[in-house]
Amino acid sequence: MRVLVLNSGSSSVKFRLLDPEDPAYLVNGIIERIGESGSRIRVFFDDEEIEHVTDIPDHKAGVIAAFALLSESGHDPRHSNIVTVGHRVVMGGDLFTKPVVVTDKVLDAIRELSYLAPLHNPANADGIAAVRIALPDIPQVAVFDTAFFADLPEPSRTYAIDREVATRYGVRRYGFHGTSHDYVSHRVAEFLDRPYESLRQIVLHLGNGASASAIAEGRAVDTSMGMTPMQGLVMGTRSGDIDPGVMTYLSRAAEMDATDLDHLLNRKSGLRGLCGHNDFRELTDLVEAGDPDAVLAYEVYLHRLRMYIGGYLMLLGGADTITFTAGVGENAPKMRADALSGLEWFGIEIDPERNALRSKQPRIISTDSSRVTVLVVPTDEELLIARAALSVTQ
Ligand code: ADP
């Protein structure tokens, strides 16, 4: 039973054809620069890559062109035994706390939630609408990034602002990267052969976007992202936590409006804002070369990360596991060692040899005597979305 998974952004759509029972079957693709010049589609399967450069004015045109390219490579989604299509949708608000089959009403609601996620939900909805036209007889399922955090305890999801304003405008912590935190935390329990509910877990999803979560008794009890994916850790281009007073100050002192502030905090901040580079590999090279801006960026990144780890150890009353995942978390051993150095008092001891090992498999990087088990677990959001789509349609 094959599943098509789509992750639609405003100017790109990543897609994957997969079979949850057969890891050997995998076709990846990306539609890039939608609505811009130089748009193209690339499809990867086995060891091959094919590319098609063509004019792609919108998501619908992109999906049609992608299907044509998939067909050329022998993977036409109309004839690939696809039983369902899973879509990543960033914001489910209070409405969607589980994966749902997309109906006209659901699609309208996803669009209506755009006021809470203006950069993401419109693109997610466009991707769904495009596939509904291309594959009208196949059920589509929306899987929400916020769903894993829908049940956050009240004190964790509530901002200390005027209740009436918060309620009227939906101002609260929603959390993001939920599919990754969900997948990774369950994979940890499976890998350690421990009941999910028995573990106090800290999951660190460190990619270009970054978030941490604390999980206990089978549910998320806190996460670092908030009402928007801007809160929390230092990210590639996003600031993470910042004094909210900075916004009002800059709006007066620098006459920045909402769009300027959005751009500053989403695109010109984080590692890029501090040293000009958001790619962690480039940052690491510059740190090794002693570049002072890069060294400061790295230290700010670690400082914030350690603050969250400390906070979560407190919230959970100690942790059974700390898990690194996503591009940086899976591939930057020095960062992992620095993030958890000097924490022997908390029962956290990294084994340098285990930490240095490169692998695509889940693995333990703490010592045998470490009271907290530290792991690296590669995330697989697409697999979770595929399984979720199958679970509501089959
Ligand atoms: P996203 O899904 O948020 O775009 P990813 O999870 O793909 O992000 O992570 C992207 C980040 O991972 C980039 O900053 C990239 O530099 C970093 N990364 C990828 N490979 C490595 C590596 N070998 N060493 C250090 N960082 C890496």
Side-chain angles (χ1 to χ4, degrees), residues 280 284 288 298 302 324 327-341 350-358 363 365 376:
F280 213 84
T284 310
E288 275 168 20
Y298 182 68
L302 280 179
F324 290 91
V328 177
E330 291 166 28
N331 295 299
K334 179 174 172 350
M335 180 282 303
R336 293 193 297 255
D338 289 342
L340 297 180
S341 68
I350 297 288
D351 179 313
E353 268 175 42
R354 290 177 180 172
N355 185 35
L357 198 82
R358 292 204 170 268
R363 56 202 184 273
I365 59 166
V376 177

Side-chain angles (χ1 to χ4, degrees), residues 14 205-209 278-281 284 326-328 331-332 358:
K14 291 185 198 147
H205 174 111
L206 309 175
N208 204 17
N278 62 296
D279 190 302
F280 213 84
R281 282 164 289 206
T284 310
V328 177
N331 295 299
R358 292 204 170 268

Side-chain angles (χ1 to χ4, degrees), residues 1-64:
M1 284 198 292
R2 290 174 177 173
V3 184
L4 172 64
V5 176
L6 257 85
N7 182 352
S8 305
S10 55
S11 67
S12 74
V13 177
K14 291 185 198 147
F15 53 93
R16 182 176 288 188
L17 273 168
L18 61 96
D19 179 341
E21 303 296 318
D22 175 13
Y25 178 76
L26 193 63
V27 181
N28 275 307
I30 182 161
I31 309 167
E32 290 170 299
R33 303 183 64 84
I34 297 171
E36 298 168 14
S37 62
S39 46
R40 63 175 183 169
I41 302 166
R42 289 184 293 157
V43 171
F44 312 87
F45 55 99
D46 303 327
D47 285 330
E48 284 189 57
E49 172 182 345
I50 52 174
E51 184 188 88
H52 183 48
V53 178
T54 180
D55 194 28
I56 304 176
D58 54 29
H59 286 70
K60 190 176 141 201
V63 167
I64 291 168

Side-chain angles (χ1 to χ4, degrees), residues 268-289:
K268 290 182 71 181
S269 297
L271 298 174
R272 185 191 284 165
L274 287 168
C275 73
H277 299 269
N278 62 296
D279 190 302
F280 213 84
R281 282 164 289 206
E282 290 172 17
L283 176 80
T284 310
D285 291 346
L286 288 167
V287 169
E288 275 168 20

